[in-house]
Amino acid sequence: MRFLYLSAIAILGLGAGCAPSDAISQPPGCQGGTIRCEGPDSPCLDVRFNPQHCGGCNRGCATGQNCVDGLCVGGGCPPNQTTCGGRCVDIRYDPDHCGRCDNPCSGACFDGACQDNCPSGFRECSGRCVELPKDEDHCGRCDNPCADGETCERGVCTLVCPDGFDACSGACVDTSSSRQHCGGCDRPCMAGEVCDGGTCSGTGCSSGLTDCSGSCVDTRNDPRNCGRCGNPCPERQACVEGVCRVLCPGDQIECSGVCVSTSSDPAHCGSCANACRADQVCSSSACACPIGRNECSGACVDTRTDPRNCGRCGNACSGAEACVSGSCTLSCPTGSTACSGYCVDTRSDRNHCGRCGNVCPAGQVCIDGSCRTTGGVAGDSCAAPIDVSGGGRFTGSTASASGDYEGTCGGAPGRDVVLRYTLAERTDVHINTFGATFDTVLYVGTLCGGSTVGCNDDARDTLRSELTLLDQPAGVYYIILDGYSAGSSGNYAIDIYFSAPTYVGGDACGEPKWIDIHTATTVTGNTCPPLWWDARDDAVACGRGGGGRDMVYYFVMQSTGAVTLDTCAGNDWDTILDLRRVCNDPAASARVTCNDDASGDCGVRSRITATLEPGVYYLWLDGYSSDACGSFTLTVTR
């Protein structure tokens, strides 16, 4: 569906055949929702994705922003989209950027490859292979876009109305009170009658209801007549006791015109305007210290390392001692030095660079015990994070980085790097460091080096880290990839994937399913789950048919060894297995192996065998065609 909320005009049923003065009309000669902005002979432009004309003519986006669905957004493109020429495009289907930027097709683009003919069940429209029964830009036929508020169902644009409203004459109306649609569409009341509870009445409105132009409404909660007749509430506001208020979803409430969750919002914890201290978090509607910290004299401290509260509140270490694991000691672990009561690595600590108390000036970092203006390490501080908004696998080294930050689950003495991503909408995020060569700590926050939304030290019986953050709200986030101790540094490979939220676990790279490859013998699942309509279809690397639903698994090889994976037993539908090094990259460069039909005793099902080196791998289990899905058994042989 094109958007989540219906406009006040659509709900009121007003303005049929009319449009606001700045509405975008479809000029002659332009197709697929494109318009002309510079005269009758100018090119047709798609204002949904054009950064110079974003959402309308001459509405340019700022430098560094992209145009996504008619809105200027910064910090990179949404998941599955790539920046090409200043606009966000889906290179899987864009005929001008098919598979990569500036790779036009003479035919159609499908799954990142130019096609002479579209697969069965698809039709070429404007260079794209689309499903006419459900494509909202080509509904039922090419270049037949559905209007805002409509969805394409079986090739027909259908108005989607909220609960309590019916679609009548192209508008959403309340048939319990509409004078023109009383009790059902096109059932007008006669002159002098009003519509009361879906029935035309000549005796006026029932007690508690008000006659508003022949419609009997409750002005205490009617968003079209809030408090009085003819007083509609703005879009996304509700009428509560005759007053228009912000409409908040789920368990959120309005605080100063903003929807917040008082169970977790540190600015409105438990109730509006009840702000937590900067060092506190809001958990279960109460301000508290983060996990791993204790309340001591009005401050959240880590009693494992705080020299003023070592082991317990008020237990101060002497000037020569440091607090290590909750005990005051005269000696620090190898590679660190006692400075101001803490064990620090003077090779990388900005506040104790080379020796205790030697603070590096602003703009400098500490590398090998010396303050330097530049260290040549990408993402060495919050001032210059690595942008990973596009997702994928990112590599580098922390060997010469500074040790600046600390997570709630550890990592104080280690060298670290900073990465950043921007979400344009609510998104599932999966991050792991299984490709690193050292003991890592991983933490994510909305403030660089500040409060965290997730932290992990050791994952899956390894010294590496992973986080899966579901339904992350839109915004900017910082990832700190840290070393667990002063000696924990080296080469890293960090995997970062984004996907739209789904009720189907394992449906995309943002929420893959885990396989313990060293102990598992079989894995079972179903690519046609009860919420099948929420399951997505993604591109695989071989044997592509009509596009079946798929599942994504991942596993870690601890040592080099041979692995065989097959779907030969436990299902009777046509499968594809695609094993990758990078989850969201179906290209040959990221592929280990891929199989469609194994033939023989396996028939149209699949089998892959490979000798794998240590590291993380991703397995896509797909259906060959749109109707190829169901329960399956994946057999693992080592």
Side-chain angles (χ1 to χ4, degrees), residues 279-295:
D279 60 344
Q280 291 179 318
V281 296
C282 182
S283 177
S284 300
S285 302
C287 294
C289 291
I291 296 174
R293 294 180 178 262
N294 299 302
E295 181 86 18

mmCIF file of all heavy atoms in Angstrom, residues 279-295:
data_model
loop_
_atom_site.group_PDB
_atom_site.id
_atom_site.type_symbol
_atom_site.label_atom_id
_atom_site.label_comp_id
_atom_site.label_asym_id
_atom_site.label_seq_id
_atom_site.Cartn_x
_atom_site.Cartn_y
_atom_site.Cartn_z
ATOM 1 N N ASP A 279 23.322 9.903 32.667
ATOM 2 C CA ASP A 279 24.000 8.611 32.782
ATOM 3 C C ASP A 279 23.037 7.461 33.047
ATOM 4 O O ASP A 279 23.457 6.329 33.260
ATOM 5 C CB ASP A 279 25.062 8.663 33.885
ATOM 6 C CG ASP A 279 24.478 8.981 35.264
ATOM 7 O OD1 ASP A 279 23.320 9.453 35.326
ATOM 8 O OD2 ASP A 279 25.175 8.761 36.267
ATOM 9 N N GLN A 280 21.727 7.743 33.049
ATOM 10 C CA GLN A 280 20.728 6.714 33.292
ATOM 11 C C GLN A 280 20.024 6.314 31.999
ATOM 12 O O GLN A 280 20.063 7.032 31.001
ATOM 13 C CB GLN A 280 19.684 7.198 34.306
ATOM 14 C CG GLN A 280 20.189 7.375 35.725
ATOM 15 C CD GLN A 280 19.093 7.868 36.651
ATOM 16 O OE1 GLN A 280 18.301 8.744 36.297
ATOM 17 N NE2 GLN A 280 19.038 7.301 37.856
ATOM 18 N N VAL A 281 19.355 5.182 32.059
ATOM 19 C CA VAL A 281 18.476 4.739 30.991
ATOM 20 C C VAL A 281 17.076 4.573 31.570
ATOM 21 O O VAL A 281 16.907 4.501 32.794
ATOM 22 C CB VAL A 281 18.951 3.405 30.363
ATOM 23 C CG1 VAL A 281 20.304 3.582 29.699
ATOM 24 C CG2 VAL A 281 19.004 2.299 31.404
ATOM 25 N N CYS A 282 16.097 4.529 30.681
ATOM 26 C CA CYS A 282 14.722 4.304 31.120
ATOM 27 C C CYS A 282 14.355 2.856 30.815
ATOM 28 O O CYS A 282 14.359 2.434 29.660
ATOM 29 C CB CYS A 282 13.769 5.253 30.396
ATOM 30 S SG CYS A 282 12.038 5.089 30.922
ATOM 31 N N SER A 283 14.077 2.086 31.842
ATOM 32 C CA SER A 283 13.741 0.675 31.685
ATOM 33 C C SER A 283 12.489 0.358 32.479
ATOM 34 O O SER A 283 12.427 0.646 33.682
ATOM 35 C CB SER A 283 14.909 -0.204 32.154
ATOM 36 O OG SER A 283 14.581 -1.564 32.073
ATOM 37 N N SER A 284 11.489 -0.189 31.808
ATOM 38 C CA SER A 284 10.208 -0.538 32.455
ATOM 39 C C SER A 284 9.623 0.656 33.185
ATOM 40 O O SER A 284 9.175 0.562 34.333
ATOM 41 C CB SER A 284 10.405 -1.720 33.406
ATOM 42 O OG SER A 284 10.884 -2.855 32.726
ATOM 43 N N SER A 285 9.679 1.842 32.548
ATOM 44 C CA SER A 285 9.081 3.091 33.046
ATOM 45 C C SER A 285 9.792 3.650 34.267
ATOM 46 O O SER A 285 9.236 4.488 34.983
ATOM 47 C CB SER A 285 7.591 2.906 33.358
ATOM 48 O OG SER A 285 6.882 2.480 32.212
ATOM 49 N N ALA A 286 11.002 3.230 34.536
ATOM 50 C CA ALA A 286 11.754 3.733 35.683
ATOM 51 C C ALA A 286 13.175 4.076 35.260
ATOM 52 O O ALA A 286 13.794 3.355 34.475
ATOM 53 C CB ALA A 286 11.780 2.704 36.809
ATOM 54 N N CYS A 287 13.704 5.192 35.800
ATOM 55 C CA CYS A 287 15.081 5.573 35.527
ATOM 56 C C CYS A 287 16.024 4.670 36.320
ATOM 57 O O CYS A 287 15.817 4.454 37.519
ATOM 58 C CB CYS A 287 15.325 7.033 35.908
ATOM 59 S SG CYS A 287 14.399 8.229 34.907
ATOM 60 N N ALA A 288 17.020 4.138 35.652
ATOM 61 C CA ALA A 288 17.949 3.232 36.315
ATOM 62 C C ALA A 288 19.294 3.303 35.625
ATOM 63 O O ALA A 288 19.423 3.842 34.520
ATOM 64 C CB ALA A 288 17.410 1.793 36.270
ATOM 65 N N CYS A 289 20.310 2.770 36.271
ATOM 66 C CA CYS A 289 21.641 2.716 35.675
ATOM 67 C C CYS A 289 21.669 1.618 34.607
ATOM 68 O O CYS A 289 20.973 0.610 34.729
ATOM 69 C CB CYS A 289 22.698 2.432 36.740
ATOM 70 S SG CYS A 289 22.937 3.810 37.898
ATOM 71 N N PRO A 290 22.491 1.797 33.575
ATOM 72 C CA PRO A 290 22.614 0.740 32.561
ATOM 73 C C PRO A 290 23.140 -0.549 33.181
ATOM 74 O O PRO A 290 23.744 -0.550 34.252
ATOM 75 C CB PRO A 290 23.623 1.333 31.565
ATOM 76 C CG PRO A 290 23.644 2.792 31.830
ATOM 77 C CD PRO A 290 23.340 2.964 33.275
ATOM 78 N N ILE A 291 22.921 -1.655 32.467
ATOM 79 C CA ILE A 291 23.430 -2.948 32.928
ATOM 80 C C ILE A 291 24.942 -2.865 33.098
ATOM 81 O O ILE A 291 25.660 -2.353 32.234
ATOM 82 C CB ILE A 291 23.058 -4.050 31.919
ATOM 83 C CG1 ILE A 291 21.541 -4.218 31.845
ATOM 84 C CG2 ILE A 291 23.720 -5.372 32.293
ATOM 85 C CD1 ILE A 291 21.086 -5.184 30.772
ATOM 86 N N GLY A 292 25.427 -3.334 34.230
ATOM 87 C CA GLY A 292 26.851 -3.303 34.507
ATOM 88 C C GLY A 292 27.292 -2.106 35.318
ATOM 89 O O GLY A 292 28.466 -1.997 35.679
ATOM 90 N N ARG A 293 26.359 -1.182 35.644
ATOM 91 C CA ARG A 293 26.683 -0.005 36.455
ATOM 92 C C ARG A 293 25.760 0.068 37.664
ATOM 93 O O ARG A 293 24.633 -0.431 37.636
ATOM 94 C CB ARG A 293 26.587 1.269 35.612
ATOM 95 C CG ARG A 293 27.647 1.311 34.508
ATOM 96 C CD ARG A 293 27.575 2.565 33.668
ATOM 97 N NE ARG A 293 28.634 2.571 32.673
ATOM 98 C CZ ARG A 293 29.787 3.223 32.801
ATOM 99 N NH1 ARG A 293 30.015 3.939 33.903
ATOM 100 N NH2 ARG A 293 30.695 3.179 31.850
ATOM 101 N N ASN A 294 26.251 0.711 38.715
ATOM 102 C CA ASN A 294 25.511 0.822 39.968
ATOM 103 C C ASN A 294 25.333 2.277 40.364
ATOM 104 O O ASN A 294 26.154 3.139 40.013
ATOM 105 C CB ASN A 294 26.256 0.078 41.093
ATOM 106 C CG ASN A 294 26.420 -1.395 40.819
ATOM 107 O OD1 ASN A 294 25.450 -2.103 40.628
ATOM 108 N ND2 ASN A 294 27.661 -1.858 40.766
ATOM 109 N N GLU A 295 24.268 2.542 41.090
ATOM 110 C CA GLU A 295 23.986 3.885 41.603
ATOM 111 C C GLU A 295 24.836 4.132 42.845
ATOM 112 O O GLU A 295 24.714 3.443 43.859
ATOM 113 C CB GLU A 295 22.502 4.001 41.946
ATOM 114 C CG GLU A 295 22.085 5.366 42.473
ATOM 115 C CD GLU A 295 21.753 6.335 41.350
ATOM 116 O OE1 GLU A 295 21.509 5.875 40.222
ATOM 117 O OE2 GLU A 295 21.740 7.540 41.619
#
